[in-house]
Each structure stands twice: as C-alpha cells, then as structure tokens.
Amino acid sequence: MSGPGIDIVKAGHIELLVSDLGRAKEFYVDTLGFVVTESSSERLYLRGLEDRQHHSLVLSRSDEPGVGHIAFRVADEGDLPAIRKLLESRGCKVKPVSKGEERGQGNALLCEDPFGFPVEFYASMDKVDWMLQRYDRYRGAKVMRLDHFNIMLPNVAEAFDWYVHALGFRSTEETETEGPTPSLWAAWLRRKPTCHDIALTTGKGPRVHHAGFTVPDRVSVMDCADLLASAGYLKSMERGPGRHGVSNAFFLYLRDEDGNRIELYTGDYLSADPDWIPIKWKLNDPQRQTFWGAPTPASWFNEAMLVRSPTTGKFAKLVAPDIQDRPDYLLSAK
Amino acid sequence: MSGPGIDIVKAGHIELLVSDLGRAKEFYVDTLGFVVTESSSERLYLRGLEDRQHHSLVLSRSDEPGVGHIAFRVADEGDLPAIRKLLESRGCKVKPVSKGEERGQGNALLCEDPFGFPVEFYASMDKVDWMLQRYDRYRGAKVMRLDHFNIMLPNVAEAFDWYVHALGFRSTEETETEGPTPSLWAAWLRRKPTCHDIALTTGKGPRVHHAGFTVPDRVSVMDCADLLASAGYLKSMERGPGRHGVSNAFFLYLRDEDGNRIELYTGDYLSADPDWIPIKWKLNDPQRQTFWGAPTPASWFNEAMLVRSPTTGKFAKLVAPDIQDRPDYLLSAK
Amino acid sequence: MSGPGIDIVKAGHIELLVSDLGRAKEFYVDTLGFVVTESSSERLYLRGLEDRQHHSLVLSRSDEPGVGHIAFRVADEGDLPAIRKLLESRGCKVKPVSKGEERGQGNALLCEDPFGFPVEFYASMDKVDWMLQRYDRYRGAKVMRLDHFNIMLPNVAEAFDWYVHALGFRSTEETETEGPTPSLWAAWLRRKPTCHDIALTTGKGPRVHHAGFTVPDRVSVMDCADLLASAGYLKSMERGPGRHGVSNAFFLYLRDEDGNRIELYTGDYLSADPDWIPIKWKLNDPQRQTFWGAPTPASWFNEAMLVRSPTTGKFAKLVAPDIQDRPDYLLSAK
Amino acid sequence: MSGPGIDIVKAGHIELLVSDLGRAKEFYVDTLGFVVTESSSERLYLRGLEDRQHHSLVLSRSDEPGVGHIAFRVADEGDLPAIRKLLESRGCKVKPVSKGEERGQGNALLCEDPFGFPVEFYASMDKVDWMLQRYDRYRGAKVMRLDHFNIMLPNVAEAFDWYVHALGFRSTEETETEGPTPSLWAAWLRRKPTCHDIALTTGKGPRVHHAGFTVPDRVSVMDCADLLASAGYLKSMERGPGRHGVSNAFFLYLRDEDGNRIELYTGDYLSADPDWIPIKWKLNDPQRQTFWGAPTPASWFNEAMLVRSPTTGKFAKLVAPDIQDRPDYLLSAK
C-alpha cells in the first residue's frame, strides 16, 4: 500500500544525454516531430502533440550518452515531503530541485533510488499550447506523449516490492522464468490505468532500456518507418514494427545516433478495474515479445542506456543478474 | 472534493431496453461484434473485446425502448454505504441490489438520482475471458469497451455541481452559451483519466443521449460504416463518421432498430495532469460538434433515450430547459 | 472500336485557372502537398508523389477561375495525326501545340471537342524524379497522381458514343434515370484498367465537375480532413469523407479558394477483364452517391468549373439538359 | 514487340497443389477469407472479393505440394492460335484445354513453357457475383484479387527475352548483380499497368516462388498478422509485414501447411506511361528487399514451389544458376 501523501500520477518525463544537440534535434524534432517548447545551448525541452505540460523529453548535451533522470508526476506538491522521508528511510540520497531549476517545472525531488536509478518526483509544470488539434503541425511519428519507462536491473523482485508496496504501483502484466520454481522476470506496473508507467526487466543494471512514447495508431508507426528509411535513418530502426504480446501494443524501437533507445507505442488497453489480476507470461513463450512470433534482435536484450547519478555525475556501475537475462531461444545471441 | 469513501472508477455498464431480443442480437452481436457472456429469455449480457468483466452492455426485453440504468464502478464495496448516505441526504430513492441479482455483479445500489436518472453503483463483477488477443474473434466494429455516457437534462449547472462536488468527477471540457453572461451548456466529466466518463448536455430531460463504446482506431469506424451499409443497416447510421472538436474523438453514431443510440468512439487523450484546466468551447463554434465543420442532423439534437425509474418502472417525464438546446445554426431544425 | 492509331493511355493532366498563384500555391503545394516541378510568374507545374512525368496539374493565373484544358496521354506521337483527322471530321477546331510550348511536354494537339470541352492529346513529357519512396517529402493529402476527370454536359448519351466508339474508351459503370424508358444519366469510362479516366454526368454544360487525384488510402483522406480543418480551410471541404457506391472509392471533395473542385480518391478496383459488363445503377439509389446513404450537398450538383476555349479564350456558354440533373431526393435543392 | 494476336491482359489464376483439401480450406477460406465459387472432392475454386471471374486460385488435392499451373488471361480467344504457334516454334508441348474442362473457363492452352513452367493461356471465364461491396462478407486478409506470380529460374536473362520480346511484357523494375559486368538478376514485368504480372528471379528452377494477392491496404495486412497469430498459424508467417523497396508494396509472406507460398500485397503504383524507364536496383542494396532494411529470412531465398508438368504429371527437375542466388549479406544462410 502506498504511504499517506504518496500519489504518483504518471510517468512524466525523461532526460536523455546526447553528444550533439543539433544532430539530436534533427532526429527528434525535424524527423520524429517532437515539439520544441524551449531550448538553450545545453538543452532542448520537448513535448508531444497531446502534452499540455512544458516537456516530456529533455535532451541534454553530454560527452557520454545515457539517461540523466526519469521523472514521475505526483498529484500535489504536498506529496513531496512524504516521498523524501520514504527515500531517506531507505538510505537514498535526495536532492531538492527548486522551481525553475529544471525549466518549466515546480519544486521537485531528485534522488538516486534504492537500485541506483536517477528518479525525479515533481508536482507541477508550466502549461503550454495544446497541439492536439493543430493537425497542420503534425509531423513524423506524430508523437503524442510519454507513456512509460522500461528499466533493466538485476533483481526485479526487489524493485517490484519497492514500486508496488512503497510507491503504490499496481501490477498489470508479469513474466516469470520457466521451471518448477519460477522467478519474477519482468513486471509492467501502472499508476495511470493503462498497461504501465514503468516496466521492470531482468538484465545488467541499473540501466534504462527505453522510454515509450504514444503515437495515434498503427498507421503512424508504419508511416514513421517509411519516413526514417527515406530520411537516412535506416540504422535507427532496431526492432519492429510489430505487435507485442505483453501490453498488446504495436511498436517500433528506435535508437538515436548516440544509441539512446525510444519506443513508438500504440494500442494498449484500459486497466481501471480495481480487482485487476495481473496477466502472466512465461519467459520462453514466443508470442510474449512479438505476438506474431518474429525474432527479437540480440541488441535489444544486450544494450540499454547507462544512468548518471544526480549526486556524483558518474554513470552507475552495472551488476549482472543471477538469473538468465533473455529467453532460451536467444541464449547464444551476443 | 469527493466525500470520504466515494471513489468512482469508471463508467461501468448500461442497460438498454429493446423490444425484440433476437433482432437486437443480430445488430449488437452478429453485426457490431459485441461478445455474449450470458443470456436468458429476457436479457443479453454483452461485453467488449477488451473487457475482463462480465458485461458492459445489458439488453433487456421491454415493450418500450429506452434505458434501464447506467452504472458506475466504484473502487470498493466499502464505498457503497457512503454513496447511499449521500443519495438519501439528497432525497433520492435507493434500492440495494444483491450479489447475483444482476448476473455476474456483486452487491450494488440502484437509485433514481437527483435529476431523475436511474444510476447504479457497483464494486465487483465476475471475471471472464479476455478477448483482446483473440483476433480471430474480432468482428464488426471491434468494440473494445464502454467509454462514457452522455445524458441530457434541462439544468446542466446543477448536475455539474452534483457530479463534481458530490461525486468527485473532474471537468475536462466545457461548452458555454454565447453572449455576455454565458451559461454552462455542456460538460465532459471524468474519473478515469480520459476525456470523460459522463457528458452532461442541455436538452429536454432526463434522457440518455448515448453510450459511447471504444473501438481501436479510425479504420475500424470506417470499416463498420461499410459493413452496416452492406448488411442492410443504412438507417442505423445517424451521424458520421467524423472527428469531434470536443474530445478530439473520431465517431460514428448508431441507432438500433428501437432507436436506442450508441457511439463508436476512438482517439481521445490522457487527462492525468492534476492541474488540468478544462478546455472551453462556445456553443456556436462550427468545429465544436464536428471538427471538419460538417452539419449535425437535427435528430441528433431532438432525440434521446427515455429513462425508466428503478422504483416505479415508469418512464420519467421530460422537462424542457430554460436555455436554448442547440447551436444557432440548428435552431430551426425540428 | 477505336480508329487505327488512336491509343489513349490515361487521363494525363489538367489546367486549372486561379486568380492568385500565391494563394493557390498555399493550398495545393503547402497544404495538399503537390510537388512543384517548375514555376513561372503565370503558371505552376505540379505533380503527384507517384508521377514520373513533368506535371499532372497546371495552375494558370487568370481573372476568371475554371478549366484551361484537360489532357489525355496517348501511346505514341504517331497517334496524333489520326486524332487530328478524327477531330476535324467532326468539325472541331484543332490547334497544334509544339514541344515545349507547354513546359515539359512534347508535340500535342489542343482542341475544342464536339461538346465544347478544351481537350489536349499528348504523347510525351519530360521525366522527373520519382518521389514515391521519398517518404520524407510526403505532406498533406499525399497526392499520388491524377486519376480521372468528371465532366458535366447536357447530353451524356452523345458523349458516350464519342468516347466509346470514336476514342476507344470502355464503360465500367453506368447510371440510368428511373422509369420505363431509362436514359443514360452518367457513365464512368476507362482506358487504363481502373474504374475510369473520365466520367460523363448530366448537367448544364460544358463544365468540368472535378479532377480526381489518387491518395494512398482512407487514412490519408482522414488525415487531410483534419489538416484542412486545422489550417483554416474548413470551407474547402465540400463533401465527405465518405465511400462512393459508384467506383467503390473513398473520397473527399475539395474546393480551392477560386471554387475549382478536386477530389481526393482512393480504393477503386482493377477492371482488366476483356469481357467486363458495366455495373448499372439507378439515379435515385441512395447508395449510388454515398454507399453509407449520407446526403450529397446541393452545391455538388449545382456547381462546376467553366471551361475556356483554347481558340477564342472565352468561357463556353452553358446549355441545360432535357432530363433531370439530380436524384429526386435533391430536386428541390438549389 | 508482341507478335500479332498475342494480347495478354493480366496474371489470371494459379493452381496450388495441397495434400489435404479440408485443411487447406481452413487456411485459405475460413482464415484468409477467399470466396468459394465451386468445389469438388478434388478441387476448390476460389476467388477474391474484387473478382468478377470464376476463380483466381485453384486448390487441387495432390500427394505432393507445389504448383499445377499458372495462367494468363488473354484479350480474346482468337489470340490462342498465335500463342500456340509461338510455343510450338520454341519446341514447347501444348495441350488444348476445352471449355469447362477447367471449371468455369473457356477454351484454353496449357503448355510447358521454354523454361519448364506449366503455363495456361485462357480468354474467358464465367462471371460470378461481385463481393466488392458485400463488406458483410469481408473476412481475414480481405483478399481482393490475384496480382502477380514470382518465378525462380537459373537464367533470368533468357526468360526476360521470352516474356518481353515474344509475349509482349514490359519491364517495370530490374535488379542487377554487382561489379563491372552486371548480370540481370531479377525483373518485374507487366501487362496490366501496375508494377508487375510476373517477376523473374534468379535461383534453382523452374520453381514458383509465390503468387501475390492484392489486399486493400496496410491495415488489412496488419490485421491479418494478428489474426493468424491468434488462430494458430504462427508458423505460416514467414516474412513481414514490411515495405518492399522493389514495387514499393507493403507485404506479408505466408506459407500454407504444405509449404506453398503466397504474398499479401498492397500499395504499388500505376505504370501506364508509354515511355516508362525500368527502375534499377543493385542486388546488395539493403533497401531493395525491405525498404526498412530488415533482414530477409534464409528460407525465403532457399525455398520455393516445385512445378508439375501438365504433360507428364512429374515435377520438374531443378537446375542451379551460374550466378549467385542471393545478396552477399545472406550468402552463408542455408
């Protein structure tokens, strides 16, 4: 059960580290169609067509690619003290972020969570023009909004406990390893009533596997694949288009030119029922990853984004999981 | 602020009254593709492809068409006493419904609300097979789930107060009349973070204008129009396909052979931000009803479903609004 | 049977007269996404994304809007003398057009046909870059190519005889008036094996009702409607989106700011069978115009583009048909 | 140039050999939605929703899978003698087929062509109900019609000469091997003005690689993939969905349970221009096979359908090509 005063609303935004802001702008803005809210020599604050908030994607210049932080929006600024207390009770370093320190954002907390991830909690953000009915501004992938984060770490069961029992997330779908004593291999956890706001997956970690952005429909995904192929971004398309078994979403995984990974995502479902029973998958089910049975490239399991500590500025060291980090049919793929 | 113990989750189901169950099954099941969960000589319990609950649409045999009740799902059975107390404090007749009395449903409350609408509150419902990934069972309109109710009544401002201040709904979009002292003409209110669970619109009432069911995408709407035109349901298509200004959804309004109205609905947005400011429209804005400016047929304003009292079994008498019940450009349409 | 040496290949291009080239460019190029091949102070030569020829749409500055000419591509320049002979045998004025006189085009013939329409026949045109796989250049309606012309004239039966027996077209679909002695009311005639290259419809004439341009699919039509509504072109959408009964195509009719009319068109069929029997419709069939039964606006029957004589430069005088010019259900619409 | 009296109209139909008609019916009719025109204990005559002809796909019971024959429709029965003469001048065995011998078909010629393929030429076929506007009958992949054949043989240049110079086909796209003295590796040849009626590709032959059937749009392909995955046909999906570089079509390759291969195909272009210059590709271009750069499974290059001689009833022996039979990046794939 979530503690009193901890009411997380949704996955809010992510900060990606890119080596060349101009090149990143060509990819995210000129090609994929993210909307620029604000920019500086060091950062681009971007949003989707559906966003009424200042940003859901921040691109920050950095010599090393990776993730600066992920952020959850909470219902009220009054939630922040309880979150701080909870984090500190777990020994996490917490760094208050003042209103405006991150452009457009109110007071917030930035921490290194119990698993080494840089996580921010914020309650308010400047309002901006809604582009949803500015169809004359739609471009590229028609990115609507941030939907979820997918993170990799060696011990999913521990993170599950943290997100569900401490932070009040609910489990929508789960993957278990095979055999008589299955381990929890992955979980899709939600605050907003969709499939998820965050997915936890087994792998060397702490790393962020991807951020998933919502697009309107399958045709938008297909159009984006054609566009990327025409615009010289052939290598950016890592996996898909395809249909996930888990989440039922239609997807395309993209790598920017620094290797950061995002997902174009559409077509999951409403999970509002209070008695929702998590949907269970087995790790080796061939339809779990891609409902059509298509193979997943090895890079999708091997590679993920490093995370930078908000306190030290260093990238977190990786720890390997004790259990296998991919389905049997990919065990030999490196 | 919602009272303690009143946590409405979503629009849950609707009971439509039909004169011929066999004919209604041909329309809703064989043509539109609703899934049959259970049936009797007097009722059909139907659900969408995404539903994991027993039913979201009940068709009940009746000599007169109309609406038996609309129902909201609440988070916990423990919410029911507080709701009962609230209703009774407003002088509403409340009728407890025992587990199983409505098939598949747990304990519930059925009432005549302060505006004469038959409204049910329930917390639990039997689980059933999820058809979401049974694409071999997809038919017709590919109806996913119930999304919202749209009700008509003479005084929207009073109902707004009830839904927002007593029941804890939040306002997503609003329409006002023109002029220097505008009146609230319609409001789209939500509990789940989409555009709405219930819309309140000005008109003779109490009547239910329609129930909106979610379909996967615009192509599903278009496919359904072709199908209905081929299958002899030309007259069932009252309005659309088109894009709404309000809600941004893509729609097609259908009338069953008793004249009951449902909407196929797709493509609204996430409204999870805690500081959401309602989007405002003026009644005469030509893009409010249909974003492309196409005219709305007069029947869409004139006709709606009568509601049957859960206590007397009689249909509610209608009261006309004091303010105009349609945009200026339709004032002469009868 | 077509005479020797008359082998028409397809509807090739159309010249529309516009009062303001800059404003027309905003509509056709910036909004709808036609590709500019070449321009001068007096003309814009435009093509679709699929065209490998210099132009399929010419916009010419003119004080009066309307149609400068429609043009058919023939298989070989050697066909031109036989066409000239045929035209002159019918008393038509023929004006040879030298290579390059119309930019990008080889030698051609421009005539006033037996019904007063300005018609050009040409065999060759400069090749240009194919944009079909330049998805990064797709914009607006994603116009692929010209598909057909639709012309209005008082006596369809006579024009049918000319197109079928003199020029070698074949009839794909036909509409007849009601009653015991039906008249041919409209015909869809082809050279390329689709539904049509030219449609003949009953009405005051000679006028050109519209030019139909192919778009990839229904979603492109829908996207274009959203775009036009956002970009301030609400009044440009005259009819649709919808599904035609005749041709089975999905359509949206647009008027430019001079009132010239084009159709976005997708989804007809292959008509290659040598023994094709024309599909017959009755004028009053409600599904003939729109398969979904939606009403057609009166302007669609009343208004069409005037045609300018290639010899006198004057616009042709109109003659009314002897038979009714619209379905019964629209007889009173003015 | 085509000889006098040889006017091939289109790829007309294909006969596939299947070991179990009941199982084949489950796949082609119940799942993919082909329409049954006629059936016997030995054969199923199927057509697409757009077909007005008796059949475009024949399934014949056979102990060995493969292809019974491919068939081209010619413009007139009077074309058959010239075709017979041409074939016999090349030493081909020709077998006249009387009206009705193949159900629904008029007089025809069945031959073993110069490369060992069983090819039929027919001019007429019984008319049947058009299902194009029977949207209530649309199922599965919404197969519209046959579009093309793709055949594999060791010497494409020789077959190119036969199809282009003897039979009057025109070349739309071509693939060449790399290096200073490129060989013709594949060609897409047309009679109807689309990308192709037949493709010639280098490989062990004579074999038929696939028959391509037209579906309405990309969404139909995607829907079919979901359907097949739900209906237990996971292994039937060999390659795709994806976008071809060559032809620009959107595709999904399917294997029936005997291993016969068909393609769901949509979105090529009009190639009516009389001066069409073939589009050229290099064998190793990664976008040639799949515009998005996705790898092609080795089975797609290795496997194809054996062809049965119409005269001996034996399957043709295979001859390997002298030049490489796949792109460099797949050379090691077996």
Side-chain angles (χ1 to χ4, degrees), chain C residues 155-296:
Chain C
N155 194 320
V156 161
E158 283 177 14
F160 182 91
D161 185 68
W162 166 253
Y163 274 99
V164 172
H165 298 118
L167 294 178
F169 284 70
R170 304 182 66 186
S171 177
T172 315
E173 304 202 28
E174 297 171 11
T175 296
E176 292 175 335
T177 56
E178 310 284 335
T181 55
S183 303
L184 182 65
W185 191 87
W188 286 257
L189 308 177
R190 73 183 182 275
R191 284 295 303 173
K192 68 178 167 0
T194 59
C195 178
H196 60 318
D197 288 286
I198 190 162
L200 316 174
T201 52
T202 296
K204 262 187 284 187
R207 292 186 293 172
V208 174
H209 189 272
H210 67 263
F213 289 90
T214 302
V215 300
D217 50 26
R218 291 175 292 172
V219 171
S220 304
V221 175
M222 230 75 54
D223 282 348
C224 185
D226 285 336
L227 166 64
L228 290 166
S230 292
Y233 289 104
L234 210 61
K235 292 188 176 162
S236 293
M237 288 187 278
E238 183 185 28
R239 180 183 168 203
R243 167 83 68 190
H244 280 308
V246 174
S247 84
N248 196 49
F250 199 85
F251 66 86
L252 176 62
Y253 287 94
L254 303 178
R255 308 293 293 266
D256 71 15
E257 282 167 302
D258 286 299
N260 296 311
R261 186 190 282 117
I262 65 168
E263 181 187 16
L264 305 181
Y265 180 91
T266 188
D268 62 359
Y269 47 81
L270 184 71
S271 61
D273 288 346
D275 55 355
W276 182 273
I277 295 173
I279 293 159
K280 305 276 187 170
W281 297 85
K282 282 291 180 183
L283 179 55
N284 287 341
D285 183 337
Q287 294 193 267
R288 189 186 72 90
Q289 290 275 356
T290 303
F291 191 63
W292 307 334
T296 303

Side-chain angles (χ1 to χ4, degrees), chain C residues 12-171:
Chain C
H13 63 267
I14 187 169
E15 180 193 22
L16 295 180
L17 309 178
V18 299
S19 58
D20 182 328
L21 273 181
R23 193 177 62 168
K25 182 169 183 288
E26 281 172 24
F27 183 68
Y28 288 98
V29 176
D30 303 342
T31 306
L32 295 180
F34 278 89
V35 179
V36 180
T37 300
E38 193 173 342
S39 64
S40 71
S41 61
E42 292 298 302
R43 279 192 182 74
L44 275 170
Y45 296 87
L46 308 180
R47 65 186 199 271
L49 295 157
E50 187 181 307
D51 280 320
R52 300 179 82 191
Q53 63 184 13
H54 186 274
H55 58 267
S56 51
L57 173 61
V58 183
L59 302 176
S60 296
R61 221 205 54 71
S62 161
D63 292 340
E64 304 288 330
V67 170
H69 66 278
I70 62 172
F72 293 105
R73 186 157 190 171
V74 299
D76 194 89
E77 199 175 317
D79 291 343
L80 297 181
I83 293 172
R84 182 170 194 165
K85 194 173 157 190
L86 171 67
L87 287 164
E88 289 176 345
S89 77
R90 296 287 291 258
C92 301
K93 291 173 200 151
V94 180
K95 182 177 160 186
V97 181
S98 304
K99 179 173 160 57
E101 198 174 333
E102 179 172 324
R103 297 275 177 90
Q105 185 178 264
N107 291 322
L109 297 175
L110 184 55
C111 76
E112 205 173 302
D113 86 355
F115 313 97
F117 288 93
V119 182
E120 190 178 50
F121 298 89
Y122 70 106
S124 67
M125 194 173 264
D126 289 355
K127 296 224 162 0
V128 289
D129 288 345
W130 208 31
M131 296 294 170
L132 188 63
Q133 295 187 329
R134 289 298 306 273
Y135 291 101
D136 52 331
R137 298 282 296 272
Y138 279 44
R139 292 285 179 276
K142 302 178 182 172
V143 177
M144 288 287 124
R145 58 174 175 82
L146 176 68
D147 183 76
H148 64 265
F149 311 116
N150 183 307
I151 66 173
M152 275 188 136
L153 75 173
N155 194 320
V156 161
E158 283 177 14
F160 182 91
D161 185 68
W162 166 253
Y163 274 99
V164 172
H165 298 118
L167 294 178
F169 284 70
R170 304 182 66 186
S171 177

Side-chain angles (χ1 to χ4, degrees), chain B residues 155-170:
Chain B
N155 194 319
V156 162
E158 284 177 14
F160 182 91
D161 185 67
W162 167 252
Y163 273 99
V164 171
H165 299 119
L167 294 178
F169 284 69
R170 305 181 65 186

Side-chain angles (χ1 to χ4, degrees), chain D residues 22 24-34 36 139-140 227 233:
Chain D
K25 182 169 182 290
E26 281 172 24
F27 183 68
Y28 288 99
V29 177
D30 303 342
T31 305
L32 295 181
F34 278 91
V36 180
R139 295 283 180 278
L227 166 64
Y233 288 104

